[in-house]
Amino acid sequence: ASQLRPEEQALFDVYLRMLGDDAMPGEVGNRIKEGFWAQGALKQVVQQYVRHFEMMDDHYLQERAVDIRDLGRRLLSHLQEGEQKDTVYPENTVLVSEELTPAMLGEVPKGQLVGLVSVKGSSNSHVAILARAMGVPTVMGLVDIPVNQLDGKDLIVDGFEGQIFASPSTDLRNFYQEICDEEDELIKGLEALRDLPCETTDNHRVSLLVNTGLMTDVVRSLSHGAEGIGLYRTEVPFMIKDRFPSEQEQREYYREQLEAFAPNPVTMRTLDIGGDKALTYFPIQEENPFLGWRGIRVTLDHPEIFLVQVRAMLKASEGLNNLQIMLPMISNISEVEESLHLIYRVYHEVREEGYNIHMPKVGVMVEIPAAVYQIRELADRVDFLSVGSNDLTQYLLAVDRNNPRVAQLYHSYHPAVLQALVRVAQDAHAVGKPVGICGELAGDPGGALLLMAMGYDSLSMNAASLPKVKSVIRSVSREWSAQLLEDVLLLDSPHVIKSCVDLALRNAGFGRYLRPGKTGAIAHAERALS
Ligand code: PEP
Ligand code: MG
């Protein structure tokens, strides 16, 4: 009661009334008497209520349909189970779900999560990105697995190949154990690079930064030698709570990140919800969520969210001065101007309150095709640019990053994506502004080489990829990479481009980074075991 506004509390009265004997339960009871089984009767009634809410004119009430669905699910789980069981997570837990959510990852006790499998989603979904950052092997979009039959079975999750094996034979176990051992060995070998600069053999320097969301990412990043944070996804702490975190709570999260990396820069992105990132307490229901109310569009429509967040960031930066603020989903110059206006306003207010803070650098994400064609106009207004190649790929190719059916069309090596990336780097440098990239392509050793050749000043990636990218960049010259880039820009197929980059990596001695185990071992083993 102390955390919710009166109008939200009033909603719980409505729920309680819906749960009264003569409302929902009464209607379910009547249907059972008509001969339906309890679960089916519940479904019919819940759907009727959901339709009722969805048809309401008021947007807020329309969105309450999500709560009704949740209520229905909770009732259903009681009907199914008789008594509620507390889930006991085994020491090595592989979480298998129809639809994985970021919150589910947090439910498994620390250190016990070793694999993730999801029917829905794809490797570009946010939950997959989080899992990658946590270093947990994950397979998404396995559309035809019998989820209910896997409970309690031994599983091998091969995140490299996107496969799972249930009840594996001893041979298969031994084969995969060998891959795990080799991977550990490889990572240990890379530890020596931690304090060395990320520099090509002809002395071209690139900054390697990390993407973070949780504090565990920070700990891992520091041990991998990151030079700062290129993207702190602030929506992650928002997603693991059941209400908007207060200014003070946000300030504490932000301070942790800023302190861990000071004096190096920490780039905090303002809240990027919508698309596949939902807050249970701020549901957004749309036909096309990725083309809808997402990122800066939400926070400029709700300046109270934006202002509290920026205030918390600025206060958290006192005495450290390593904060940079980044704006997501920019498709119009006016969004940048409006955001800058709000940031300046908060800056002056916070200073007037007596905080000794500096104005942070502000940057925009280039992740919508429109932004690619307005680099100069954007760069004139901000201090830096950062390409979000995950969304830029999805929007340039019109491929939903979350949809397993079109996952094979989602390709960051697509010639159109590469051409756009070249153009962004050129245009930003033409007006003297630094440009980085914080999409998954930066953490792909081949992708990182191409981006370095394009002139990107910084590459921001998940901590686990950082040592591999550093070792590749340190072993080649910029000239060699520029030639590779020139060659692939002449090609017209994303698959051929990928093969060409892979071949170059293999020839340079990095075959082990492309697939696990000894080259060709998997194909060989697959044949042997099938
Ligand atoms: C991107 O779109 O590339 C990006 C870094 O942001 P997110 O994956 O969080 O949308
Ligand atoms: Mg994005």
Side-chain angles (χ1 to χ4, degrees), residues 9 157 392 421 509:
Q9 289 183 32
V157 180
L392 187 59
L421 291 169

Side-chain angles (χ1 to χ4, degrees), residues 24 31 37 63 74 158 182 195 239 288 312 314 350 398 420 496 500:
M24 230 154 111
R31 284 176 202 244
W37 70 313
E63 287 174 356
R74 281 162 196 268
D158 179 349
E182 281 185 17
D195 299 319
M239 284 194 286
N288 289 306
L314 288 177
V350 173
V496 178
C500 185

Side-chain angles (χ1 to χ4, degrees), residues 169-213:
S169 64
T170 314
D171 279 354
L172 198 60
R173 267 171 201 267
N174 293 342
F175 171 70
Y176 273 97
Q177 190 55 53
E178 214 178 295
I179 291 180
C180 292
D181 296 345
E182 281 185 17
E183 201 42 28
D184 288 346
E185 197 188 306
L186 178 70
I187 290 166
K188 269 204 208 92
L190 293 173
E191 273 167 17
L193 296 179
R194 204 187 78 167
D195 299 319
L196 297 176
C198 178
E199 192 170 77
T200 58
T201 53
D202 49 357
N203 304 327
H204 175 71
R205 184 88 169 77
V206 190
S207 293
L208 291 195
L209 309 172
V210 274
N211 296 347
T212 61

Side-chain angles (χ1 to χ4, degrees), residues 269 272 294 365 367 391 401:
R269 177 169 74 184
D272 183 23
R294 198 190 154 191
M365 289 195 72
E367 49 184 350
D391 278 313
R401 63 194 269 188

Side-chain angles (χ1 to χ4, degrees), residues 124 126 129 211 231 233 235 269 272 276-277 290 294 326 365-367 387-392 401 410 438-440:
N124 314 299
H126 279 100
I129 292 175
N211 296 347
L231 166 64
R233 289 186 166 95
E235 51 282 359
R269 177 169 74 184
D272 183 23
D276 63 345
K277 282 177 292 191
F290 276 112
R294 198 190 154 191
M326 185 156 78
M365 289 195 72
V366 178
E367 49 184 350
V387 177
S389 56
N390 306 336
D391 278 313
L392 187 59
R401 63 194 269 188
Y410 182 100
C438 56
E440 295 296 288

